[in-house]
Amino acid sequence: MATQVDPVRGSALNEQELWREMVRWSGGRILEEAGVLLVSGPSPYLRVAIRSDPRIDAAAVLARATDFFAAESTGFIVLVRRPDDEDVERAALAAGYRAGWTERPMAINGRPSAGAMPDEVEVRAVADASAVLDYGRVVALANDDPGERERAPLLFHDETIIAPHIAAFIAYLGAEPVACAMTLVSHRVAGVFYVATVEHARRRGLGDALTRMAARTGFEMGAETAWLGASEMGADLYRRIGFEDLGSTLVELASPTTTSIWLRAGGPGSPMPRWRPGSS
């Protein structure tokens, strides 16, 4: 008999699977050994190290990441989850890494109710390469973050998000794609990712409705829990849907090389860009 899914552990494993998929979609290297997952794609926003075995000490995680990404002049990030990876975070900060984007994992253990969609909006499941491109256009247009804009065309092309364990949806206003959301199911967990709405279509409830649709579909695909990473601004929306805080925090730690390049480009005090494909 299968054990009940631990949403904290399950969400971490599901996120690791998403990073593997993103590097498969974009083309790159995946190395997973000795308790560390290392992924390297064609963009600096696709170069990430994650400790997958909590028994591996922080110094070893940083050493393996530094060695793996040694040839990448634009650096990488280490993605940690507090409180489990606080030792890695302390070691990274002491070594000159810089803390950037943070999100709170939230989960729901049953299908949320369906959301209302405006009459003038049509929702379609992504089913062909043209729709995959539409999905990428929404992600790029809806984000003012340079990482998401650079990464979108690398990820959403051909039939990358058409797969048995993935379901993706796009809201169209007339012929224009204006909002999107997707779920990726692994480890009996549905991760809800890339929830985005272009600016002129906001405040119509599209993000709420598509998040519900993605989560509901994840449960239909066999998940026992669904999760997402929420910003402080988006957390209240997801609580209204029924998501609850998992009591952890996702933190991106930019390598010293990444930090140096970004500060030269943006100036002292400029915020770090975002690596995680979150929800909002």
Side-chain angles (χ1 to χ4, degrees), residues 99-121:
W101 183 264
T102 64
E103 286 185 344
R104 58 176 68 192
M106 304 180 75
I108 186 170
N109 292 323
R111 291 200 329 167
S113 59
M117 192 66 69
D119 292 339
E120 68 274 19
V121 174

Side-chain angles (χ1 to χ4, degrees), residues 67-81:
D67 180 65
F68 181 76
F69 294 109
E72 304 295 352
S73 61
T74 52
F76 59 94
I77 70 158
V78 174
L79 183 62
V80 301
R81 287 189 175 222

Side-chain angles (χ1 to χ4, degrees), residues 2-11 109 186-189 223-225:
T3 58
Q4 186 174 3
V5 171
D6 174 2
V8 175
R9 177 63 174 154
S11 64
N109 292 323
S186 73
H187 305 86
R188 293 186 285 155
V189 173
E224 296 180 18
T225 190

